[in-house]
């Protein structure tokens, strides 16, 4: 009997997720942009940071290249107060750094944080159905499409490691 062995997941560059402490930090991360044809897939970082200011359950983090120290992206996770589920509300990598594995690394680093938090049996996220690159990334990292829609976004779920 032949046993299928899945190929190893691709390596990702090391990243650090950092809190945005100063107004200068916030301005730097708010200035990051996706490619023009991706703009409809994710809210701007400035909007996300403002959202986190209004919703204390949101945790905005900057994504930095751990090797070179540069700023490469933004992620925000939350424990939804209405449903008690963990969500990744935002994940974006600046256009200048896309295609290098930083998105995968940021996702993995975020999941590592969520794995350690209480009430974290699974994590949810929403993705624009037309964003095929993001959908493939999330599926490769263990997310499954639930068939649910939240507004215009397809909901995906992943069981966290314990």
């Amino acid at each position: 009997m032949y046993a299928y062995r899945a190929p190893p997941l691709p390596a990702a560059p090391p990243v650090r997720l950092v809190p945005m402490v100063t107004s200068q930090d916030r301005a730097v991360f708010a200035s990051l942009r996706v490619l023009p044809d991706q703009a409809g897939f994710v809210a701007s970082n400035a909007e996300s940071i403002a959202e986190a200011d209004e919703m204390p359950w949101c945790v905005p983090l900057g994504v930095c290249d751990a090797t070179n120290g540069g700023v490469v992206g933004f992620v925000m996770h939350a424990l939804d107060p209405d449903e008690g589920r963990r969500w990744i509300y935002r994940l974006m990598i600046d256009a200048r750094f896309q295609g290098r594995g930083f998105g995968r690394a940021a996702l993995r680093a975020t999941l590592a944080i969520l794995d350690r938090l209480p009430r974290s049996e699974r994590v949810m996220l929403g993705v624009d159905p037309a964003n095929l690159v993001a959908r493939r990334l999330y599926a490769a990292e263990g997310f499954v499409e639930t068939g649910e829609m939240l507004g215009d976004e397809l909901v995906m779920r992943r069981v966290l490691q314990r």
Side-chain angles (χ1 to χ4, degrees):
M1 178 105 176
Y2 176 74
Y4 174 74
R5 190 178 288 248
L9 292 173
V15 296
R16 285 183 307 112
L17 301 183
V18 298
M20 289 172 271
V21 178
T22 68
S23 59
Q24 183 177 359
D25 293 339
R26 294 163 60 93
V28 168
F29 289 105
S31 72
L32 301 178
R33 300 283 181 267
V34 294
L35 294 168
D37 63 331
Q38 299 168 333
F41 293 151
V42 64
S44 75
N45 293 347
E47 290 172 299
S48 297
I49 293 167
E51 186 177 347
D53 288 342
E54 295 175 17
M55 296 185 261
W57 55 88
C58 292
V59 180
L61 299 166
V63 180
C64 296
D65 179 340
T67 303
N68 300 316
V71 171
V72 299
F74 175 85
V75 65
M76 184 163 72
H77 67 84
L79 175 62
D80 187 289
D82 295 327
E83 57 189 32
R85 294 193 287 187
R86 297 271 175 205
W87 284 80
I88 297 176
Y89 279 172
R90 305 285 189 276
L91 173 59
M92 70 78 66
I93 299 299
D94 187 80
R96 298 168 295 162
F97 300 99
Q98 291 183 12
R100 301 184 199 177
F102 288 112
R104 182 177 309 278
L107 179 58
R108 288 177 179 173
T110 304
L111 291 170
I113 290 170
L114 297 177
D115 281 340
R116 296 187 305 266
L117 294 176
R119 297 177 64 187
S120 293
E121 296 166 11
R122 62 182 57 101
V123 63
M124 314 295 286
L125 58 79
V127 61
D128 187 307
N131 191 346
L132 299 179
V133 172
R135 287 172 67 186
R136 281 193 296 269
L137 168 65
Y138 298 141
E141 293 298 322
F143 283 86
V144 294
E145 296 180 4
T146 66
E148 300 171 64
M149 294 292 289
L150 183 60
D152 294 335
E153 292 188 332
L154 177 64
V155 176
M156 298 182 79
R157 172 184 61 233
R158 181 182 190 269
V159 174
L160 291 168
Q161 310 300 311
R162 285 277 172 222

